[in-house]
């Protein structure tokens, strides 16, 4: 069958609609998975995901985000930094960290084979306030998560009470005015991601005309 140019255009439009529908359903299917197994993404797959992360909206192209990939034995070193942060925080609050809490904190980074930490490097710019740079970092994290999902991996975005304590900031070479924005735990889900229940967006939206 020969297709006229108008028929081809109609077919292309139809394909675009199908692709958009599938993409939207796919984004809606994303779920956070708490404990993850190997395999983790390869370096090439991580770089693809970070390239996608770097397309986040970025006023004045400040690139206020950085990505630190932690895997293998380095996860134990991160655990030590978290314990140090927890102990310092407890001391400030007049408390003593229990052995149970120390062990739990130490093993936090072992809940996935790989962690991608996203840090926000706040820059002074008269047209780009800090909150815009934080929002850009959040958008980068979401792009990162979706790009990892596209390559077959599951994730969970964690922060916690310790992520911006001095000992953790020092571990990641983050300045006092900068932020650890996300620990993106990454790996393979040990079970199927649960189906998301339909969401009622009516209370969340206001249309004006």
């Amino acid at each position: 069958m020969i297709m006229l140019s108008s028929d081809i255009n109609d077919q292309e439009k139809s394909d675009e609609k199908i692709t958009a529908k599938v993409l939207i359903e796919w984004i809606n299917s994303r779920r956070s998975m708490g404990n993850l197994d190997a395999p983790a993404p390869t370096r090439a797959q991580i770089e693809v995901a970070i390239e996608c992360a770097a397309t986040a909206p970025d006023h004045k192209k400040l690139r206020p985000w950085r990505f630190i990939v932690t895997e293998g034995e380095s996860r134990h070193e991160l655990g030590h930094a978290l314990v140090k942060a927890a102990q310092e925080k407890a001391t400030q609050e007049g408390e003593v960290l229990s052995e149970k809490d120390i062990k739990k904190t130490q093993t936090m980074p072992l809940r996935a084979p790989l962690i991608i930490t996203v840090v926000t490097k706040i820059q002074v710019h008269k047209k780009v306030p800090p909150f815009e740079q934080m929002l850009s970092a959040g958008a980068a994290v979401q792009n990162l998560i979706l790009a990892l999902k596209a390559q077959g991996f599951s994730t969970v975005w964690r922060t916690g009470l310790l992520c911006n304590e001095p000992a953790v900031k020092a571990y990641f070479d983050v300045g006092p005015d900068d932020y650890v924005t996300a620990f993106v735990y990454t790996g393979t889900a040990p079970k199927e991601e649960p189906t998301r229940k339909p969401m009622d967006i009516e209370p969340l939206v206001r249309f004006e005309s």
Side-chain angles (χ1 to χ4, degrees), residues 6-25:
S6 59
D7 294 328
I8 293 172
N9 290 338
D10 289 342
Q11 181 65 42
E12 288 176 348
K13 289 177 182 178
S14 175
D15 289 345
E16 286 175 4
K17 289 179 182 177
I18 293 169
T19 301
K21 182 176 184 295
V22 170
L23 179 60
I24 289 168
E25 289 177 349

Side-chain angles (χ1 to χ4, degrees), residues 39-49 69 71 114 148 151 153:
T42 64
R43 178 167 181 160
Q45 289 171 319
I46 293 167
E47 288 175 346
V48 166
V69 181
E71 58 184 328
L114 183 143
L148 290 166
Q151 297 178 89
F153 299 99

Side-chain angles (χ1 to χ4, degrees), residues 97-180:
L97 212 59
S98 69
E99 287 299 320
K100 181 180 178 181
D101 286 338
I102 290 172
K103 183 176 180 180
K104 180 181 178 181
T105 304
Q106 175 68 52
T107 57
M108 279 179 179
L110 305 182
R111 291 175 291 184
L114 183 143
I115 302 167
I116 303 174
T117 302
V118 184
V119 302
T120 308
K121 294 280 190 177
I122 301 296
Q123 300 170 48
V124 177
H125 195 289
K126 63 182 180 180
K127 292 187 177 181
V128 190
F131 86 90
E132 283 193 5
Q133 298 179 49
M134 285 294 292
L135 290 171
S136 178
V141 174
Q142 179 70 353
N143 281 3
L144 178 74
I145 286 171
L146 290 176
L148 290 166
K149 178 178 171 63
Q151 297 178 89
F153 299 99
S154 293
T155 58
V156 59
W157 178 347
R158 297 185 186 275
T159 48
L161 297 176
L162 301 175
C163 68
N164 281 293
E165 289 296 310
V168 177
K169 283 189 171 186
Y171 179 81
F172 289 111
D173 191 25
V174 174
D177 297 325
D178 301 324
Y179 297 91
V180 176

Side-chain angles (χ1 to χ4, degrees), residues 70 73-88 97 102-110 162 167-168 171:
T70 303
E73 290 302 311
S74 293
R75 295 175 301 159
H76 295 282
E77 295 174 16
L78 174 55
H80 292 315
L82 291 170
V83 169
K84 182 179 179 181
Q87 289 174 325
E88 290 175 351
L97 212 59
I102 290 172
K103 183 176 180 180
K104 180 181 178 181
T105 304
Q106 175 68 52
T107 57
M108 279 179 179
L110 305 182
L162 301 175
V168 177
Y171 179 81

